[in-house]
Amino acid sequence: MAKQPPKHAGSPVRPVAAPGRAARSADKPDPADLYAALDLGTNSCRMLIAQPKGSQFHVVDSFSKSVQLGAGLEASGQLSRASMARTVGALKICQKKLRHHSVKRMRLVATEACRRATNSDEFIKLVTRETGLNLEIIMPEEEARLAVISCAPLVSVKTEQLLVVDIGGGSTELVWIDLSRVPRVDRPRAIMRLHTGFDPKESKFPAAKVVDWISVPLGVATLRDQFNDVDDDAAQFALMSWFFEENLAEFTPYQDTDQVREGFQIVGTSGTVTTVAASHLGLRRYDRNKVDGLRMTSDQIDHVIQGYLHLGPEGRRNDPRIGRDRHALIMSGAAILQALLRIWPTDRLSVADRGLREGLLYAQMSTDGVLEEGPY
C-alpha cells in the first residue's frame, strides 16, 4: 500500500533518441507531431520539446535554468517575491519556445515547492497572468510514477527487484518494484506500462508489482536548510544522512532488507547522481552520453563522496566536476545517496540523466498511442 511521508519527516510535506541538450533537425518539425513537458521544481525550471520516434522520442528543443523557487521556503512557508520573479522570467523563455514551435500538446507541472507553499495559488495565477502558461501542481504519487517510467530504458532484463530513486530539490521519491513474475524480455516494457498508475488495471500483459513507494519531503535544498546551522562539514554530512534514513522507517522494503538478492538494481535519477557519476569518470566537462546509463558500485560512489568531504566547502566550490550551480547542494544529495546505499548496498546502481520531463513525454505519447512497440 502506498504511503504518504511519515508525520515526523522533515517539514510538510537518452533515452537513445532523447538527448538532454537541445537538438534540432535540419527541417522544422511539424507542430502536429510535437509534445512538450515542463518540470518546475524547488531549484530548477526544465523543459523539453520532442517528437515521437519509434519507441523513443527525439528532442527538438530544451531549456534548463536554476531559479531557486524554494529559497527561504523552509523558514517562511511561502515562495518569496524574488523567487517568484526569477521563476516567471524563466517561464517567459519557455513560453517563447513553445510559441516558436507552435506546440499544442503539453504538460507543465510544478512539484514540492508549490505543494508546500501557502501562497502557491497566488504564484500559479501570477504565472498565468504574466506568461499565459497554465501550471499544474502534481501530487507525490504522480511525480514518483513519472520518474519511474522515464527510467524504463535503463532497467536490465536480469532485474527482479528494482528501486527507483528520484532525489529532487524539495523531496525524494522512492519506488520499489517486483519484476520477478514478468518475463525477462518484457521487464522494461512492464515498467513503461505503469504510466497508467501504480495499481495495474486488468491486462493481458504480465504486470510489474509496486511493492511500496514513499515521498519524503527532504530533497537537496530542504535537507541542507535543516542543517545549515552545523558548521563542521563532516558532522553536517553525517547528520543529514542519518536524518534522511530515519524518515524511511515506514517504507516497507526498509523493514525487510533481507529481500535484497541477486537480480537487485537501483536506478538513481537526479543531479546528485549524475554529478557523482561525472566525478567518478573525472569529467571536467559534463557529457551526458558518458553518464546516462553508467553503472556504479556502492564502493565507487562512497569513494567519490569521501573525496567531496576531503575537498571541503571551498574545494567543492572550485571543482569543475561538480560545477558552480551544484556545489552548494551536492553534500545534502550525497547524504541521501549514502543513506540509501547503506541500507541497500549494490554493485548495480544505474545512473539516469532523465526524470520528470521524460516521464511526462512518455506518458503523453503512450496515452496517444504514438510510440511504437519495440525494445527500449
Side-chain angles (χ1 to χ4, degrees):
M1 181 177 182
K3 293 179 175 62
Q4 293 302 316
K7 292 182 180 179
H8 61 280
S11 300
V13 222
R14 164 168 91 198
V16 172
R21 302 285 185 261
R24 190 183 298 269
S25 58
D27 300 316
K28 189 174 180 180
D30 185 346
D33 293 338
L34 296 179
Y35 291 78
L38 185 146
D39 166 23
L40 178 60
T42 302
N43 287 312
S44 303
C45 175
R46 302 183 179 97
M47 184 180 71
L48 289 177
I49 299 174
Q51 59 186 150
K53 187 175 183 180
S55 61
Q56 302 286 323
F57 54 76
H58 168 72
V59 173
V60 173
D61 205 348
S62 69
F63 174 82
S64 181
K65 185 176 180 62
S66 173
V67 294
Q68 299 179 51
L69 179 60
L73 177 60
E74 190 71 25
S76 69
Q78 293 191 325
L79 304 175
S80 71
R81 297 297 172 188
S83 297
M84 290 193 287
R86 281 194 303 270
T87 305
V88 167
L91 290 170
K92 286 181 177 180
I93 298 174
C94 294
Q95 190 271 341
K96 289 178 181 177
K97 287 178 175 286
L98 291 168
R99 184 174 58 194
H100 172 73
H101 293 287
S102 303
V103 182
K104 303 300 180 187
R105 289 168 295 190
M106 65 187 79
R107 281 197 73 188
L108 318 174
V109 307
T111 56
E112 185 69 10
C114 287
R115 287 196 291 262
R116 288 176 52 192
T118 58
N119 61 339
S120 58
D121 286 345
E122 175 191 343
F123 171 65
I124 298 298
K125 291 175 182 176
L126 173 67
V127 169
T128 302
R129 185 168 66 248
E130 295 290 326
T131 70
L133 301 178
N134 295 310
L135 279 179
E136 170 191 0
I137 302 175
I138 60 172
M139 292 297 101
E141 180 175 349
E142 183 170 14
E143 183 176 1
R145 176 161 46 87
L146 291 166
V148 166
I149 65 173
S150 76
C151 296
L154 299 183
V155 176
S156 169
V157 296
K158 297 179 181 179
T159 295
E160 295 190 351
Q161 302 294 325
L162 174 69
L163 175 62
V164 178
V165 180
D166 181 12
I167 306 172
S171 65
T172 298
E173 281 68 46
L174 287 80
V175 185
W176 192 288
I177 303 168
D178 184 350
L179 293 164
S180 60
R181 296 186 180 181
V182 180
R184 286 189 171 199
V185 70
D186 200 43
R187 287 173 183 174
R189 194 174 293 110
I191 297 295
M192 185 65 74
R193 293 190 191 110
L194 291 173
H195 78 88
T196 60
F198 280 162
D199 295 318
K201 309 297 183 291
E202 287 298 323
S203 172
K204 61 181 179 180
F205 302 107
K209 178 186 176 183
V210 176
V211 176
D212 200 5
W213 74 275
I214 190 171
S215 180
V216 181
L218 294 169
V220 294
T222 47
L223 184 59
R224 176 202 60 185
D225 290 349
Q226 291 213 15
F227 292 90
N228 247 350
D229 57 342
V230 180
D231 293 329
D232 185 88
D233 193 46
Q236 183 189 55
F237 175 77
L239 287 168
M240 289 190 295
S241 187
W242 285 108
F243 183 64
F244 183 83
E245 183 177 343
E246 285 182 0
N247 286 279
L248 296 177
E250 295 187 19
F251 186 47
T252 301
Y254 179 75
Q255 302 160 9
D256 184 17
T257 55
D258 290 339
Q259 66 180 295
V260 176
R261 61 178 76 89
E262 187 71 22
F264 172 60
Q265 179 183 7
I266 299 179
V267 177
T269 170
S270 70
T272 294
V273 180
T274 57
T275 301
V276 168
S279 294
H280 168 66
L281 294 172
L283 301 180
R284 299 179 68 85
R285 182 182 179 87
Y286 187 79
D287 186 341
R288 186 183 191 274
N289 291 321
K290 294 180 179 178
V291 170
D292 186 48
L294 176 73
R295 285 191 179 178
M296 299 184 68
T297 67
S298 299
D299 288 344
Q300 288 171 332
I301 293 169
D302 185 63
H303 180 75
V304 172
I305 293 174
Q306 294 306 315
Y308 289 162
L309 285 168
H310 179 73
L311 284 171
E314 188 62 29
R316 294 192 295 269
R317 186 178 296 113
N318 296 312
D319 191 325
R321 302 169 306 163
I322 298 174
R324 290 190 173 271
D325 61 341
R326 177 64 53 180
H327 75 87
L329 301 170
I330 190 58
M331 293 317 295
S332 50
I336 294 172
L337 190 56
Q338 187 191 65
L340 297 173
L341 292 173
R342 187 165 58 239
I343 305 164
W344 300 291
T346 181
D347 60 356
R348 298 176 67 210
L349 185 144
S350 297
V351 179
D353 187 348
R354 59 188 74 212
L356 192 53
R357 296 175 303 168
E358 288 83 359
L360 287 163
L361 288 172
Y362 277 134
Q364 291 179 84
M365 293 176 185
S366 295
T367 299
D368 289 353
V370 295
L371 293 177
E372 296 176 6
E373 283 289 327
Y376 288 103

